[in-house]
């Protein structure tokens, strides 16, 4: 039988600590809430009051329950008030010496059976535990912010944490309505170890002027369905906190350069640009603590002004290819009012593509998302052809053929001869260098990448890839076309993976390495990222959907270009692909899908 905790203590009443107090008090547990001084105590009390009042206003908490919750909380200055609690959770700033001092004092104050827990997100629980005479009763209980809302708790055991202490804490998490994942004491645990490598990479992308902050954030929200973009999330976490976590993980986690804080991060922290809490980070906020972003000197010009910057008029569009992507792109352009010339290799393929477009448009009608008249008008704008010569009078060509450089280069050389001057030639490649394709023509200034996401009619994102030879007019035209299609176009340089894949796949690869090291299970890692970070899918779910062979190919491309040891494909991923375990399409990947 797990022990019953009747009174718990919480040390440190910042956002996190006050949130943990609320979680316990909401679940009928008496709480002793402790701070270092009277003013700090009052701030903590105000944070708790504000949170519970908001919950009442939103109808998520009855006024009587709020009042009962507050009656369960006893506020006190100094650790001596914790002499009779059954469990203490420390939630002070992420400084090891500070935490060690507090634990040494808690060891003296608390009764011998009390469990001492830290909410650290990056420091060694083991190093904290040795400041006490009872390291077997010390454990990590890592809540996620905001604690009353987020479901995940990482329970971190050290090599000496007693099994009954782990069992008692797991039972407590269930009582609190949380999902717990129990793991060993390793830098960053699950969620932060995977999240912060990705966040740091995004900062590096911004630092090198590869893409704007708005485009990086939009790409990850729209391309991956994430609740926030990485730079906005850094502002929310606090750049000082993020720096400390990365620095600790770098030093404790084998000095992986993925976790070495990008220099810009240290500069911003030194300059006091800490994110939302200081009113300025990657973005500028209405006032310190406010979530409302206001324009600043880095805010892009109004969309209309930017799009008018030399964008060419586009009326007629050619789409080359007969696969799923080409079919989706034809539909997108036709629905947006463009005349479309579809070119495939042979009329048989044209008939297949035509049938696929009709089927998709009919589905839109059946679902009530498209009027019959609009469907008929869209189909009326498409002409079907098996010869590239029919692209002689188009204003834009979008190539969506097989991902083989030799095929694309041959096609672009032909387009160069056939198309009139000033036509924008776009490739939908997701992995090949756009410049290689551009140099197959005598007009590299007119060549851009237009990377649509699958399925093109649904996904709102397009990556506009400019090479070092792409003209500003061609880029402006591509952006204007994306806007006319109702898509968000994000502009980036011609580097492997562009924005989305370059940030997404190293994170997935890190998750595979974590599984490979037997640190945690695929289920727990997926739970951690979905419940702790709000991701729509866990990394292993996503890998099985994307296909392990596709994921491995992308990761290899990234590694070959960047030569960063941390980007080397995880051996486990390579072994699964060799064994033919490719994910859902093969009915077996990281999970068995044969019964689904």
């Amino acid at each position: 039988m797990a022990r019953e905790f009747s009174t718990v203590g919480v040390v440190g009443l910042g956002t996190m600590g006050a949130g943990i107090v609320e979680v316990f008090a909401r679940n009928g547990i008496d709480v002793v809430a402790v701070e270092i001084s009277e003013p700090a105590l009052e701030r903590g009390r105000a944070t708790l009051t504000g949170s519970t009042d908001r919950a009442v206003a939103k109808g998520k908490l009855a006024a009587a329950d709020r009042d009962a919750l507050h009656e369960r909380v006893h506020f006190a200055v100094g650790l001596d008030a914790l002499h009779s609690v059954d469990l203490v959770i420390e939630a002070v700033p992420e400084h090891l010496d500070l935490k060690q001092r507090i634990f040494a004092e808690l060891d003296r104050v608390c009764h011998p059976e009390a469990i001492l827990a830290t909410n650290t997100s990056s420091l060694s629980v083991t190093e904290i535990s040795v400041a006490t005479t009872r390291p077997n009763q010390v454990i990590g209980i890592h809540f996620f912010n905001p604690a009353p809302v987020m479901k995940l708790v990482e329970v971190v055991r050290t090599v000496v944490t007693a099994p009954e202490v782990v069992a008692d804490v797991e039972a407590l998490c269930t009582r609190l309505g949380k999902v717990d994942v129990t793991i060993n004491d390793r830098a960053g645990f699950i969620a932060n170890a995977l999240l912060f490598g990705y966040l740091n990479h995004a900062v590096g992308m911004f630092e090198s002027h590869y893409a704007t902050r708005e485009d990086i954030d939009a790409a990850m929200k729209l391309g991956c369905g994430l609740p926030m973009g990485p730079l906005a999330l850094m502002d929310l976490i606090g750049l000082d906190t993020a720096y400390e976590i990365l620095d600790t993980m770098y030093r404790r986690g084998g000095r992986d350069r993925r976790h070495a804080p990008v220099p810009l991060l240290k500069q911003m922290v030194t300059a006091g640009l800490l994110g939302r809490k200081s009113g300025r980070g990657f973005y500028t906020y209405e006032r310190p603590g406010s979530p409302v972003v206001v324009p600043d000197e880095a805010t892009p010009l109004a969309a209309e002004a930017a799009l008018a910057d030399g964008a060419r008029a586009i009326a007629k569009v050619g789409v080359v290819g007969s696969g799923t992507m080409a079919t989706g792109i034809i539909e997108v352009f036709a629905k947006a009012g463009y005349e479309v010339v579809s070119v495939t290799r042979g009329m048989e393929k044209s008939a297949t593509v035509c049938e696929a477009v009709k089927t998709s448009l009919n589905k839109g009608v059946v679902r009530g998302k498209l009027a019959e008249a609009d469907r008929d008008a869209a189909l009326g704008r498409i002409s079907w052809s098996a010869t590239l010569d029919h692209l002689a009078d188009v204003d834009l060509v979008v190539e969506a053929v097989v991902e083989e450089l030799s095929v694309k280069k041959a096609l672009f050389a032909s387009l160069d001869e056939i198309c009139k001057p000033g036509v924008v030639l776009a490739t939908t490649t997701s992995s090949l260098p756009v410049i290689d394709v551009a140099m197959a023509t005598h007009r590299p200034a007119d060549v851009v990448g237009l990377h649509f996401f699958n399925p093109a009619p649904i996904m709102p994102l397009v990556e506009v890839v400019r090479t070092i030879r792409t003209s500003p007019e061609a880029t402006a035209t591509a952006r204007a076309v994306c806007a006319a299609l109702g898509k968000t176009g994000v502009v980036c340089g011609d580097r492997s993976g562009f924005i989305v894949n370059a940030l997404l796949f190293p994170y997935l690869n890190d998750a595979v390495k974590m599984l490979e090291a037997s640190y945690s299970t695929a289920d727990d890692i997926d739970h951690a990222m979905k419940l702790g970070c709000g991701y729509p899918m866990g990394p292993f779910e996503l890998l099985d959907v994307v296909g392990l062979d596709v994921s491995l190919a992308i990761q290899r491309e990234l590694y070959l270009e960047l030569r960063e040891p941390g980007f080397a494909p995880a051996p486990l991923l390579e072994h699964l692909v060799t064994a033919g375990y490719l994910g859902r399409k093969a009915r077996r990947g990281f999970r068995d899908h044969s019964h689904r």
Side-chain angles (χ1 to χ4, degrees):
M1 277 290 290
R3 70 195 275 187
E4 193 69 25
F5 295 97
S6 55
T7 314
V8 302
V10 177
V11 180
L13 304 179
T15 310
M16 201 71 228
I20 294 169
V21 169
E22 184 178 334
V23 169
F24 283 115
R26 268 181 185 246
N27 287 279
I29 298 171
D30 290 334
V31 185
V32 180
V34 170
E35 257 297 359
I36 194 167
S37 66
E38 205 61 59
L41 199 68
E42 282 313 305
R43 283 195 296 274
R45 194 194 303 267
T47 302
L48 178 65
T49 302
S51 176
T52 52
D53 285 353
R54 280 194 299 277
V56 171
K58 289 177 181 170
K60 295 190 173 177
L61 187 67
D65 291 339
R66 173 197 58 195
D67 298 342
L69 183 160
H70 282 281
E71 280 174 21
R72 291 190 197 104
V73 183
H74 169 68
F75 289 91
V77 172
L79 299 178
D80 287 339
L82 301 169
H83 57 85
S84 59
V85 300
D86 304 314
L87 165 76
V88 181
I89 295 190
E90 160 277 310
V92 304
E94 290 283 89
H95 299 298
L96 182 62
D97 55 344
L98 171 64
K99 290 182 190 277
Q100 286 177 326
R101 283 201 307 275
I102 286 171
F103 271 73
E105 190 64 11
L106 290 173
D107 188 34
R108 184 186 65 76
V109 167
C110 297
H111 67 76
E113 289 78 41
I115 292 172
L116 309 182
T118 173
N119 182 58
T120 183
S121 60
S122 63
L123 296 173
S124 165
V125 178
T126 309
E127 286 184 43
I128 293 168
S129 74
V130 295
T132 73
T133 60
R134 54 176 109 178
N136 60 323
Q137 285 164 242
V138 176
I139 194 166
I141 306 181
H142 178 220
F143 287 84
F144 286 73
N145 196 17
V149 177
M150 299 299 276
K151 281 284 191 194
L152 183 74
V153 175
E154 289 177 321
V155 176
V156 186
R157 61 179 169 223
T158 72
V159 287
V160 296
T161 306
E164 58 271 22
V165 169
V166 176
D168 291 345
V169 169
E170 288 173 336
L172 175 63
C173 290
T174 304
R175 180 180 168 188
L176 297 175
K178 302 293 186 186
V179 175
D180 64 275
V181 295
T182 300
I183 45 182
N184 295 327
D185 183 22
R186 193 178 104 168
F189 314 137
I190 296 175
N192 280 357
L194 295 181
L195 177 67
F196 276 85
Y198 149 71
L199 294 178
N200 198 40
H201 190 181
V203 176
M205 212 176 246
F206 175 69
E207 181 187 50
S208 65
H209 303 289
Y210 178 65
T212 66
R213 60 190 182 181
E214 288 84 0
D215 281 357
I216 292 169
D217 280 355
M220 298 315 289
K221 283 167 67 179
L222 300 176
C224 299
L226 302 185
M228 290 181 86
L231 302 177
L233 180 55
M234 285 287 250
D235 276 358
L236 175 63
I237 292 167
L239 273 60
D240 49 345
T241 304
Y243 180 84
E244 290 293 338
I245 290 172
L246 282 165
D247 190 49
T248 303
M249 281 175 23
Y250 176 69
R251 284 185 284 105
R252 281 188 62 212
R255 300 191 176 267
D256 181 347
R257 279 187 51 190
R258 301 252 297 126
H259 294 138
V262 169
L264 176 65
L265 204 51
K266 181 69 179 288
Q267 292 160 21
M268 291 176 77
V269 171
T270 306
L273 306 177
L274 307 182
R276 281 191 193 181
K277 60 187 171 191
S278 70
R280 182 99 191 240
F282 289 102
Y283 295 91
T284 301
Y285 298 87
E286 206 169 37
R287 61 180 180 280
S290 167
V292 180
V293 175
V294 295
D296 57 22
E297 68 278 1
T299 304
L301 300 169
E304 298 76 31
L307 295 176
D309 179 26
R312 298 168 193 166
I314 303 290
K316 195 170 185 180
V317 178
V319 180
V320 185
S322 55
T324 310
M325 194 47 98
T327 306
I329 292 167
I330 291 165
E331 179 185 334
V332 166
F333 275 102
K335 283 200 297 200
Y338 290 95
E339 260 191 273
V340 182
V341 181
S342 162
V343 180
T344 62
R345 285 182 307 172
M347 290 315 290
E348 228 175 277
K349 283 197 185 293
S350 277
T352 307
V353 174
C354 179
E355 217 38 57
V357 172
K358 280 181 182 169
T359 303
S360 181
L361 289 169
N362 285 333
K363 275 185 192 163
V365 172
V366 170
R367 290 178 183 152
K369 296 193 172 174
L370 190 66
E372 286 190 35
D374 291 337
R375 172 200 62 192
D376 297 341
L379 283 169
R381 291 186 197 105
I382 308 169
S383 56
W384 309 96
S385 168
T387 171
L388 292 173
D389 292 336
H390 288 144
L391 300 175
D393 64 339
V394 300
D395 307 308
L396 164 70
V397 180
V398 180
E399 163 275 308
V401 302
V402 66
E403 281 284 272
E404 282 182 28
L405 190 56
S406 59
V407 176
K408 290 187 191 282
K409 285 170 79 167
L411 172 60
F412 271 72
S414 299
L415 293 173
D416 189 28
E417 290 177 15
I418 292 163
C419 295
K420 64 189 181 187
V423 173
V424 173
L425 305 177
T427 171
T428 59
T429 184
S430 60
S431 60
L432 299 171
V434 178
I435 190 67
D436 282 3
V437 178
M439 294 311 289
T441 73
H442 292 98
R443 48 172 110 180
D446 292 329
V447 178
V448 296
L450 274 183
H451 178 219
F452 287 81
F453 285 72
N454 203 11
I458 294 168
M459 294 296 278
L461 183 72
V462 180
E463 288 176 320
V464 177
V465 186
R466 60 173 178 226
T467 75
I468 52 174
R469 294 290 295 268
T470 305
S471 70
E473 294 76 26
T475 306
T477 305
R479 285 198 84 152
V481 166
C482 292
L485 295 175
K487 306 283 189 192
T488 297
V490 297
V491 178
C492 60
D494 183 22
R495 253 181 22 197
S496 189
F498 310 139
I499 299 174
V500 174
N501 285 353
L503 291 178
L504 174 65
F505 282 88
Y507 145 74
L508 296 175
N509 196 47
D510 286 347
V512 179
K513 289 178 182 174
M514 189 177 273
L515 179 68
E516 190 173 50
S518 302
Y519 179 61
S520 190
T521 64
D523 286 348
D524 277 358
I525 293 169
D526 278 357
H527 279 316
M529 298 316 291
K530 289 199 293 188
L531 301 176
C533 300
Y535 281 30
M537 297 175 88
F540 297 105
E541 280 179 90
L542 184 54
L543 282 159
D544 276 1
V545 169
V546 170
L548 273 58
D549 50 344
V550 174
S551 304
L552 177 60
I554 292 170
Q555 192 59 38
R556 278 181 176 152
E557 286 288 336
L558 290 170
Y559 178 55
L560 279 172
E561 181 164 278
L562 300 170
R563 307 295 170 102
E564 185 65 66
F567 282 9
L572 175 60
L573 185 60
E574 297 187 310
H575 294 169
L576 289 167
V577 171
T578 304
Y581 293 170
L582 308 182
R584 282 181 180 269
K585 60 188 173 189
R587 297 189 168 274
R588 177 80 190 263
F590 284 99
R591 294 189 175 89
D592 185 346
H593 301 281
S594 54
H595 307 300
R596 295 181 188 184

